[in-house]
Amino acid sequence: MRALLDTNIVIHRENTIVSNQGIGLLFYWLDKLNYTKCIHPFVIEELRSHKNTELQRLYDVKLTSYEVLKTIAPQTEDFKSKLPDIKSSNDKIDNQLLCEVYSKRVDLLITEDKALRRKAQSLNIANKVLSINQFVSLCTAENPELINYKMLAVKKEYFGNVDLNDSFFDTFKIAYPGFENWFSKKCDEEAYVCRTDKNDILGFLYVKTELENENYSDIEPRFSPQKRLKVGTFKIETSGFRLGERFVKIIFDNALERNVDEIYVTLFEDRPELKALEDLLFAWGFKKHGIKKTDGKEEVVLIKKLKQYEDSISPKENFPNILFKKRKKFILPIFPKYHTTLLPDSKLNTENEIDFMGKIPHRYALQKIYISFAPERDINPGDLLLIYRNGENQSRKKFESVLTTVGIVEKIKYNFSTKEEFLTTCKNRSVFTNDELEKFWDTKRNQLLVISFIFVKSLSHRLTLGYLWEKNIIQAQKGPRPFTKISDSQFNEILKDSNTTVKFIDGENNV
């Protein structure tokens, strides 16, 4: 297998200062899976044009560790017709890199350039043009037996029990003078920490509540008085496990629990990993507000408003703001073998803990993918789901089949035009293996319904199939079919009887 590396990847790898923490994992997987690391002649030209002559010499010395493509793929009229006109020298390089993939001279292109990856979609090769995190996610999903650590758990820890000398915190020390003193003073406060089984830190999050009288003189435009959740310290390493989404869920849960009006975070934009974090927050509805000036430096200020819903944006961008009224409600059954690996937070007490240790990316994702062959198509973004775990013992299905989870439909997709489109939609977020996905396409492509939904919360008390019979929600002696529609009052009754609170912003607060 041959992986072509974009200029930004080589720069991240060969710089004397680490500018992207995920680069080590990328090259770990390239070596582990025996990829040939290829570099394009155009990339070499670009590196040699660097203004810093010392860096030029450094690159020249280290380029011998890559295999340089000996020929350049010709660009056919079919290829050029699918791309916009070339407007710069960067466009010329980007298009040629894509052409090497399009013509199948290399198997993959790895790049941190989002514009280049968007072009790949036009060429229908998006599944072969990947970011560092996408590639690492793919590798961890397909090769769990090669992962160095057994599990990733996010836990609360006191600052005083966290080793500030861990290299994880080096970027904070550089960016924020006085960070070490601030950290030490927080010794008796708690943060959310994610570690590997080797105790390496992969993620750290500290949040605090700020009241209406908080001083925001260093932020422009000035904040109006509101109760806010400040994301004070937030960093995640590239791991391929979608830890960013796990931490975003923690931020949202804290915001709801503390009943704040707004969430905000400040970020420098001078490092690639911070830009990736910014993009993650944008995807979940954060917006730029302004800047914060501290010690002559500027940070971008991102905010997310709560307790209001914007019809012009997606349910994902609105989340955790959820509407109840004028939204359909469905029960979605899932087979036991898929249920807990997709929804580890909704694991049953009877299931063995060790079977669900987190080695697979979709377990950490807040946004989930499930595939159905049901004929139901009257499903819309924003509709609400109650996930139902089928029982394994048919003779005891009345007791073992249970409602477990509340979800919200983010989007649905069917009528896929190509297999690549289907595979790209599902990979790394679904419970199904690559072989299963391939089989689905080969045997049931016309029935495929891919539903993307957001995990809202687990039911506090699991209600059985017997309960659904008793309440006449499901016909006696039968189980729910995929996307069984239920009424608003039935949905409310289920939440009440399961002792589950879901906060809606349009007048419904279910307990």
Side-chain angles (χ1 to χ4, degrees):
M1 297 280 283
R2 305 208 315 163
L4 183 61
L5 308 181
D6 194 4
T7 310
N8 47 62
I9 302 298
V10 178
I11 289 174
H12 290 328
R13 173 65 169 177
E14 307 304 350
N15 270 0
T16 54
I17 299 175
V18 177
S19 57
N20 188 318
Q21 297 292 333
I23 203 73
L25 269 179
L26 167 64
F27 277 78
Y28 165 83
W29 282 112
L30 288 171
D31 291 337
K32 198 75 173 177
L33 300 178
N34 297 316
Y35 275 86
T36 300
K37 297 180 282 290
C38 299
I39 191 170
H40 200 279
F42 285 5
V43 168
I44 294 178
E45 290 178 17
E46 193 172 17
L47 290 169
R48 286 176 175 164
S49 67
H50 202 288
K51 294 179 182 178
N52 187 320
T53 54
E54 186 176 336
L55 280 178
Q56 281 187 31
R57 288 195 295 270
L58 176 67
Y59 295 148
D60 277 343
V61 169
K62 295 191 174 183
L63 287 178
T64 55
S65 61
Y66 302 93
E67 180 174 298
V68 181
L69 298 186
K70 296 180 176 60
T71 58
I72 297 174
Q75 297 185 19
T76 63
E77 291 303 318
D78 173 63
F79 172 84
K80 290 187 285 188
S81 68
K82 295 177 180 178
L83 296 174
D85 295 336
I86 293 176
K87 296 180 180 179
S88 67
S89 58
N90 284 339
D91 284 340
K92 178 184 176 183
I93 295 172
D94 289 350
N95 289 4
Q96 190 57 52
L97 296 181
L98 288 169
C99 188
E100 306 299 338
V101 182
Y102 189 79
S103 61
K104 299 182 180 179
R105 294 192 175 197
V106 295
D107 299 286
L108 291 174
L109 169 62
I110 301 174
T111 177
E112 291 292 87
D113 189 330
K114 289 199 297 184
L116 196 155
R117 297 202 300 272
R118 283 196 295 270
K119 286 184 179 181
Q121 294 175 353
S122 302
L123 295 165
N124 203 26
I125 55 172
N127 62 323
K128 297 180 180 180
V129 180
L130 308 175
S131 67
I132 292 175
N133 198 51
Q134 287 172 331
F135 178 76
V136 172
S137 294
L138 183 67
C139 293
T140 52
E142 294 182 348
N143 304 278
E145 72 281 0
L146 298 180
I147 298 171
N148 278 340
Y149 37 83
K150 298 177 183 177
M151 63 183 293
L152 300 172
V154 180
K155 297 178 180 178
K156 277 187 175 182
E157 294 187 31
Y158 288 108
F159 274 74
N161 291 333
V162 178
D163 183 8
L164 185 55
N165 294 317
D166 193 300
S167 60
F168 178 89
F169 296 106
D170 288 351
T171 53
F172 288 114
K173 296 173 186 176
I174 295 170
Y176 300 99
F179 176 78
E180 291 167 276
N181 290 337
W182 172 86
F183 196 97
S184 297
K185 289 178 181 179
K186 295 288 181 183
C187 59
D188 290 335
E189 295 190 42
E190 289 182 314
Y192 295 91
V193 184
C194 176
R195 298 178 183 271
T196 70
D197 59 325
K198 295 182 179 179
N199 217 35
D200 298 327
I201 300 176
L202 289 182
F204 188 94
L205 169 66
Y206 168 67
V207 295
K208 63 175 289 194
T209 305
E210 295 181 343
L211 302 179
E212 291 84 348
N213 60 353
E214 188 75 25
N215 180 6
Y216 295 115
S217 59
D218 54 355
I219 292 177
E220 290 293 338
R222 188 77 59 87
F223 277 162
S224 60
Q226 289 189 82
K227 186 179 181 182
R228 291 182 171 85
L229 183 76
K230 178 182 180 181
V231 180
T233 309
F234 185 20
K235 179 182 176 182
I236 47 173
E237 301 283 24
T238 297
S239 66
F241 286 88
R242 304 198 183 280
L243 289 181
E245 289 188 30
R246 173 67 70 164
F247 278 98
V248 165
K249 179 65 164 59
I250 293 170
I251 292 170
F252 290 160
D253 286 347
N254 273 275
L256 293 175
E257 182 180 341
R258 303 180 192 204
N259 195 31
V260 301
D261 303 303
E262 192 170 88
I263 308 168
Y264 81 99
V265 59
T266 63
L267 290 171
F268 289 111
E269 295 182 294
D270 56 350
R271 299 198 307 276
E273 72 270 19
L274 293 177
K275 191 67 176 67
L277 183 56
E278 184 180 53
D279 289 342
L280 172 69
L281 295 172
F282 283 153
W284 288 96
F286 283 79
K287 297 178 180 178
K288 280 190 177 181
H289 168 80
I291 59 171
K292 177 181 179 181
K293 294 183 179 180
T294 308
D295 298 326
K297 296 181 179 180
E298 290 188 357
E299 294 178 86
V300 64
V301 180
L302 308 182
I303 63 170
K304 182 177 179 68
K305 295 186 179 298
L306 301 182
K307 303 179 182 178
Q308 56 184 271
Y309 196 92
E310 295 184 48
D311 291 323
S312 60
I313 61 177
S314 70
K316 176 178 177 178
E317 292 168 299
N318 270 296
F319 190 78
N321 301 316
I322 307 172
L323 291 180
F324 180 86
K325 297 175 181 177
K326 299 182 180 178
R327 294 294 189 266
K328 294 187 290 295
K329 286 81 181 174
F330 298 97
I331 295 177
L332 177 61
I334 294 181
F335 288 118
K337 70 174 182 177
Y338 297 129
H339 174 271
T340 301
T341 188
L342 185 65
L343 298 162
D345 296 288
S346 297
K347 183 182 73 69
L348 302 188
N349 291 332
T350 56
E351 291 175 311
N352 190 342
E353 184 78 34
I354 202 167
D355 290 339
F356 304 106
M357 297 174 88
K359 275 193 174 186
I360 303 177
H362 60 251
R363 292 178 182 168
Y364 287 83
L366 178 53
Q367 188 179 0
K368 312 286 187 175
I369 291 272
Y370 194 70
I371 300 170
S372 174
F373 309 107
E376 177 67 57
R377 294 294 185 269
D378 185 25
I379 308 163
N380 297 304
D383 287 345
L384 298 170
L385 300 173
L386 285 167
I387 307 300
Y388 170 92
R389 182 190 186 276
N390 286 307
E392 298 183 64
N393 187 335
Q394 281 300 301
S395 65
R396 291 183 50 80
K397 65 180 181 179
K398 176 180 178 180
F399 310 101
E400 293 186 357
S401 301
V402 292
L403 293 166
T404 69
T405 309
V406 181
I408 179 172
V409 177
E410 201 270 316
K411 58 185 174 183
I412 62 167
K413 192 171 180 61
Y414 48 90
N415 294 335
F416 292 92
S417 56
T418 65
K419 179 168 73 171
E420 287 69 26
E421 180 188 12
F422 169 64
L423 295 177
T424 300
T425 300
C426 299
K427 274 189 176 179
N428 300 328
R429 288 191 182 272
S430 83
V431 294
F432 302 105
T433 66
N434 289 339
D435 288 343
E436 286 175 314
L437 293 174
E438 294 269 2
K439 185 177 180 180
F440 292 162
W441 178 259
D442 292 337
T443 61
K444 297 183 177 182
R445 71 183 65 176
N446 295 326
Q447 301 169 250
L448 290 171
L449 171 66
V450 177
I451 179 169
S452 169
F453 70 93
I454 299 166
F455 169 78
V456 176
K457 70 189 313 180
S458 301
L459 297 185
S460 300
H461 174 65
R462 307 299 164 77
L463 302 177
T464 66
L465 177 59
Y467 165 89
L468 296 175
W469 289 346
E470 292 168 12
K471 295 291 184 176
N472 295 317
I473 297 173
I474 299 296
Q475 185 178 341
Q477 305 309 312
K478 293 189 177 181
R481 306 292 297 169
F483 301 104
T484 295
K485 192 173 181 180
I486 61 175
S487 68
D488 288 3
S489 60
Q490 289 172 328
F491 186 90
N492 270 330
E493 188 174 19
I494 287 170
L495 290 185
K496 179 181 178 181
D497 291 344
S498 65
N499 196 27
T500 302
T501 302
V502 178
K503 293 183 179 180
F504 300 102
I505 64 170
D506 54 353
E508 296 286 344
N509 187 14
N510 300 281
V511 180

